[in-house]
Amino acid sequence: MLSRMDGYRAAVVGWNPEDLADPAELRAGWSDELAQGDLPGLVLSGEVHRTLHPTTGFEPFDNDHEWLPYRGERTGNHG
């Protein structure tokens, strides 16, 4: 059973996520990655998402949040 996640503004989901969930840090230091949709697993409240410059790749997460879907880790070609 999933618990309701009320009150959060930003989170990162996935396997061993990095600590990137501070909205101010996202705006200041990760704007290029946000614009390109290169932070898979990032979940933002609608309020925070609306304050960002135009971004690509975000999808609805729930009624109050958007996210860049986490699709798992990619393995390299070890040939």
Side-chain angles (χ1 to χ4, degrees):
M1 181 171 138
L2 292 175
S3 63
R4 187 169 166 93
M5 297 185 285
D6 288 333
Y8 72 91
R9 298 180 62 204
V12 179
V13 298
W15 186 258
N16 197 21
E18 299 204 16
D19 186 21
L20 300 175
D22 176 42
E25 184 179 340
L26 287 168
R27 285 185 205 98
W30 297 92
S31 60
D32 290 341
E33 289 84 352
L34 279 170
Q36 297 170 12
D38 286 342
L39 294 172
L42 180 65
V43 182
L44 299 174
S45 70
E47 171 192 351
V48 171
H49 186 250
R50 286 186 295 275
T51 67
L52 300 174
H53 293 289
T55 58
T56 62
F58 276 89
E59 298 179 9
F61 184 79
D62 64 21
N63 289 337
D64 301 318
H65 299 85
E66 302 286 325
W67 82 317
L68 293 168
Y70 177 75
R71 306 204 192 282
E73 299 297 319
R74 294 188 181 130
T75 58
N77 183 1
H78 301 288

